Amino acid sequence: MNSLPCNIEDYRVITAPETAYYISDFISEAEEKAILSSIYAAPKPKWTQLSNRRLQNWGGIPHTNGMIAETIPPWLDKYLDKIHKLDVMDGKRPNHVLVNEYLPGQGIMPHVDGSLFYPTITTISAGSHIVLNFLEPTEDNTINTSPLFSFLLEPRSLLILQDKLYTHYLHCIEELKEDLLDGSIVNINMCSDKYVRHATVTRDTRVSLTIRHVPKTSSFKIHLGNRR
Ligand SMILES: O=C(O)CCC(=O)C(=O)O
Ligand SMILES: [Fe+2]
């Protein structure tokens, strides 16, 4: 999909609850390589190490009091532009990127993305596929582990989630080294022929760019009180 503009409705996942769009080849192999080399060129303190993955924040750190906006470098901002052109955030320009790195066997616990963001998640995948699972929330906050449905996210793909897929269902990535592409995957017919139903595919290191819009931002100002 390197020839923009496109009609996003052509990419709607009609086999999932509302609303998901999936673009298999959103970025080229050269762009994928460039993203990975820029991410790995970042200085070590740019990484935040969690118990089961590492992450980088670009654009600022989202916070309930607002985000102090930081300039996003051009190598990354070009993808915010490309997503902005799809017009999936009610005219708002994305201004934040969360980079997650998952080694084979790593994942992310069930969660919803919450109220710090405009309720559209856009995710570019690089380096490896992964399976993103969706769960029904439980009344008592116990974790319901059997996925209702899943998306296969190929390297170089873009996934867009909105509506009930943002607000209602929990999403997670299981801590696996390989994925069985079973009947729970709702977008397999939108993926390349490499991924066939019932195949088992081995994970490699995956880097995802979760690109969102943080509505509450301010630019940094130091208030030194009343200096006359
Ligand atoms: O890596 C992904 O695709 C999911 C990341 C995610 O759910 C998040 O950062 O909130
Ligand atoms: Fe998330």
Side-chain angles (χ1 to χ4, degrees):
M1 110 129 236
N2 292 312
S3 49
L4 287 166
C6 77
N7 181 2
I8 193 68
E9 287 306 321
D10 295 342
Y11 298 90
R12 185 193 278 264
V13 185
I14 53 172
T15 45
E18 297 206 319
T19 302
Y21 301 96
Y22 180 76
I23 302 178
S24 166
D25 54 349
F26 185 66
I27 60 168
S28 68
E29 284 189 24
E31 289 174 319
E32 178 187 31
K33 271 200 187 129
I35 288 172
L36 291 171
S37 67
S38 299
I39 285 168
Y40 286 112
K44 192 129 194 266
K46 186 78 188 159
W47 288 102
T48 302
Q49 181 70 54
L50 306 181
S51 61
N52 56 352
R53 67 198 148 88
R54 316 191 268 178
L55 53 87
Q56 295 180 0
N57 270 281
W58 293 90
I61 311 272
H63 190 270
T64 41
N65 295 335
M67 179 174 79
I68 297 169
E70 291 168 13
T71 306
I72 293 180
W75 65 264
L76 187 53
D77 200 51
K78 67 184 258 203
Y79 300 102
L80 277 61
D81 230 22
K82 198 169 170 181
I83 288 168
H84 187 41
K85 290 200 176 91
L86 299 176
D87 194 17
V88 289
M89 300 186 188
D90 193 26
K92 293 158 193 64
R93 193 181 187 281
N95 58 0
H96 184 261
V97 184
L98 180 68
V99 173
N100 278 295
E101 180 203 52
Y102 306 85
L103 306 178
Q106 296 187 323
I108 188 166
M109 297 283 286
H111 67 280
V112 287
D113 282 15
S115 57
L116 296 179
F117 304 99
Y118 179 82
T120 293
I121 312 173
T122 68
T123 308
I124 296 175
S125 295
S128 178
H129 80 279
I130 219 148
V131 172
L132 184 69
N133 293 331
F134 283 77
L135 310 171
E136 189 72 59
T138 54
E139 300 266 307
D140 53 2
N141 280 334
T142 52
I143 305 249
N144 178 353
T145 49
S146 51
L148 282 176
F149 53 89
S150 312
F151 290 84
L152 172 63
L153 308 186
E154 296 164 275
R156 300 181 292 287
S157 68
L158 176 75
L159 177 72
I160 302 174
L161 300 172
Q162 301 178 315
D163 303 317
K164 265 188 106 174
L165 289 179
Y166 187 100
T167 55
H168 179 71
Y169 298 104
L170 307 174
H171 56 271
C172 68
I173 295 167
E174 272 197 89
E175 297 186 334
L176 299 173
K177 293 194 170 162
E178 53 183 36
D179 294 288
L180 170 64
L181 307 181
D182 63 16
S184 72
I185 295 172
V186 287
N187 65 325
I188 199 147
N189 61 335
M190 302 171 87
C191 296
S192 84
D193 298 342
K194 188 183 155 196
Y195 299 94
V196 290
R197 181 87 69 200
H198 307 304
T200 297
V201 276
T202 307
R203 286 189 195 170
D204 213 327
T205 296
R206 169 175 178 264
V207 167
S208 65
L209 311 183
T210 303
I211 299 172
R212 290 171 287 201
H213 173 81
V214 178
K216 250 170 101 179
T217 59
S218 58
S219 48
F220 188 59
K221 277 208 191 100
I222 303 175
H223 295 286
L224 292 171
N226 281 334
R227 303 174 104 217
R228 284 166 207 229

